[in-house]
Amino acid sequence: MHGVDDEEVIRERVLPQYLGWEDATLEPLAGGLINRTLLLERGDARAVLQRVSPIFSPRIHENIAAVTARLAEAGLETPRLVATRTGAPFVAGPDLGAGARGEGLWRLLTHVEGVGFDAVTTARQARSAGRLIARFHLALEGLSHEFVGLRANVHDTPAHLGRLAEVAATRGQHRLGADVRALAEQIAVAAEALPPLPVLAPRVCHGDLKFSNVLFADHEPPASERAVCLIDLDTVGPLSLAFELGDAWRSWCNRAGEDVPEARLDLDVMRASLDGYRDGWGRGLDAETRRALVLGVEWVSLELAARFAADAILESYFGWDARRFPGRGEHNLVRARGQWSLHAALVATRAARTDMLEQMLAA
């Protein structure tokens, strides 16, 4: 085990709540920016232990349980919550490292064999991922569940823009204040120029389709080009398809990844993912939905640029890589510049993306 600094608390307070996992080994898993994740092993068995970020309500586990049950019924691979000895979906309490914001909630999930990638490596990979997401959406159509504990205003772009403007104006003494202020001015001008996003009826969506949330069968082709599962289901719930696929494309189509200031937009990846989505969905999409998909990725990339830029000063939300950056703010400023660069590239290719959607997803 490496780097699990609260092993004693986990072994004394968390693992005994799960039958058979008391003596499991623990190993940190890299990946997410929000939840802390550990791999548990006992012999040949594996499970995933997560300390859930306090940004999420404990009630999201009701959503996860309902969605994963439906996915399993439809034959899709999915992680499932493991109940505690008392049947609860998680372990929580002040003796689990609870802080001022209510940390201290741990959950155990079944382990799905698979490999995550930070960025798309081939068009075939993008096609398979697009098909899996369409199958995910289809499986959840008509799901009878009242979603609870959802975060408010997740894609309220005006609110994120307003927050950035306020932070840039009031936190000028921060070491990155001048850099953030200059970027905030560019983002504000771009937001004024964006056409309004068509309003679509919400459907049950994943809610956070960055590429690393798609698991593939193995590291090397052809297995690395077979998508098997979507992970990190904290954000499942009703959402516009424009935000769902917009978030996917801003992640998948940027060959440079999120941690560099200059994006590299690859429309071949978008085309491949659309081909897969059409195959998995089995039909086209209406004109209003297609228009929303054209603009959705532009809005999402600008919104995320604003969120990263604000957190470059606030330094309170997104995780960061201490091995590569001197501080959380510096990492988030690079991310903000990367999303801003991606947004500019997307706006420049709006006509090409419109033609692509018309050709591939016309009803």
Side-chain angles (χ1 to χ4, degrees), residues 249 253-256 263-267 270 342 345-346 349 353:
W249 286 328
C253 299
N254 180 8
R255 289 291 200 174
R264 288 190 294 117
L265 178 61
D266 188 339
L267 292 186
M270 184 176 292
L342 177 63
L346 286 162
T349 58
R353 291 183 294 106

Side-chain angles (χ1 to χ4, degrees), residues 166-191:
E166 179 184 2
V167 167
T170 61
R171 304 289 186 96
Q173 298 306 310
H174 188 276
R175 67 186 185 281
L176 303 175
D179 291 320
V180 170
R181 186 164 54 252
L183 183 56
E185 291 171 358
Q186 292 178 297
I187 290 172
V189 171

Side-chain angles (χ1 to χ4, degrees), residues 64-264:
I64 293 171
V67 164
T68 55
R70 181 66 169 265
L71 293 173
E73 289 173 4
L76 271 65
E77 190 79 59
T78 184
R80 305 292 297 273
L81 290 166
V82 178
T84 67
R85 290 176 181 271
T86 62
F90 52 77
V91 179
D95 54 355
L96 298 179
R101 294 183 299 169
E103 294 94 331
L105 189 156
W106 292 82
R107 67 178 175 216
L108 192 65
L109 297 159
T110 58
H111 179 264
V112 176
E113 290 291 339
V115 176
F117 295 84
D118 290 333
V120 176
T121 60
T122 68
R124 288 182 179 179
Q125 202 177 49
R127 186 184 189 281
S128 182
R131 183 176 186 275
L132 175 63
I133 288 165
R135 293 181 63 211
F136 180 95
H137 290 161
L138 275 176
L140 297 174
E141 271 198 316
L143 175 64
S144 179
H145 171 72
E146 181 180 352
F147 285 85
V148 292
L150 300 176
R151 291 181 296 155
N153 303 322
V154 173
H155 285 295
D156 186 345
T157 308
H160 291 301
L161 294 170
R163 187 179 192 219
L164 173 58
E166 179 184 2
V167 167
T170 61
R171 304 289 186 96
Q173 298 306 310
H174 188 276
R175 67 186 185 281
L176 303 175
D179 291 320
V180 170
R181 186 164 54 252
L183 183 56
E185 291 171 358
Q186 292 178 297
I187 290 172
V189 171
E192 288 293 326
L194 270 182
L197 187 63
V199 177
L200 303 181
R203 65 174 69 186
V204 181
C205 289
H206 179 280
D208 185 18
L209 285 177
K210 58 179 179 285
F211 198 66
S212 57
N213 279 342
V214 183
L215 289 188
F216 292 82
D218 211 335
H219 291 89
E220 301 295 333
S224 63
E225 296 172 340
R226 181 165 61 85
V228 295
C229 178
L230 299 182
I231 59 172
D232 283 359
L233 301 175
D234 300 294
T235 52
V236 291
L239 188 67
S240 167
L241 189 64
F243 289 127
E244 175 84 322
L245 294 185
D247 196 37
W249 286 328
R250 70 93 199 157
S251 168
W252 301 12
C253 299
N254 180 8
R255 289 291 200 174
E258 288 189 358
D259 293 336
V260 296
E262 289 295 328
R264 288 190 294 117

